[in-house]
Amino acid sequence: MGTRGREIIGLEVDELLKLLNKAFADEWLAYYQYWVGAKVAKGPMKDAIIAELTLHATEELGHADLVSNRIIQLGGTPLTTPKEWFNWTNCGYDAPDDPYVGTLLEQNIKAEQCAISVYDSLMKLTDGKDPVTYNIALQIIEQEVEHEEDLQSLLEDLELMLHPPMR
Ligand SMILES: [Fe+2]
Ligand SMILES: [Fe+2]
């Protein structure tokens, strides 16, 4: 990367690259968890839930793109094989083996909550030390927070539909 761009970083760049590659692994796993979940989903409100899962999948891939561009800018290499995703991930992977929409929502809410914590730590670490990474983490966390809320509100609607409040 540009040498001055690297010099201004008040952090151990190799350590930062490790954290970025961990987030990169999370994004790909999140992408696939959403993507395949949207394919297999079954149950009430399926259409609305599939639409949301599919949109989120696209956005997770966008995050992988942002993170990998920063890794390259810092002189690193994004993980080159999917096999490594499981060794590097912070948030893991929940296979949608139970295709019920409620279960899928719960699994993806858990993943979003983990992603929020990951970018929150990355922001705390880079605050005042690496404005470029900080800004990328900020852009991503804004979407992760939105994702969590989208899924929680779908889950709430699903519960209300299945168990309408007594009148
Ligand atoms: Fe993401
Ligand atoms: Fe997300």
Side-chain angles (χ1 to χ4, degrees), residues 26-27 30 59-61 63-64 112 115 119 140 144 147:
D26 290 333
E27 294 297 354
E59 290 174 343
E60 303 307 353
L61 202 52
H63 301 164
E112 291 298 343
Y119 290 105
I140 297 176
E144 309 298 18
H147 288 172

Side-chain angles (χ1 to χ4, degrees), residues 19-60:
L19 298 174
L20 288 170
N21 252 322
K22 286 174 74 63
F24 178 70
D26 290 333
E27 294 297 354
W28 272 104
L29 292 171
Y31 164 73
Y32 192 70
Q33 188 173 311
Y34 274 126
W35 184 88
V36 77
K39 297 290 175 201
V40 300
K42 282 193 173 67
M45 294 173 48
K46 193 173 97 160
D47 291 347
I49 293 170
I50 289 175
E52 199 67 55
L53 300 182
T54 306
L55 173 68
H56 287 195
T58 313
E59 290 174 343
E60 303 307 353

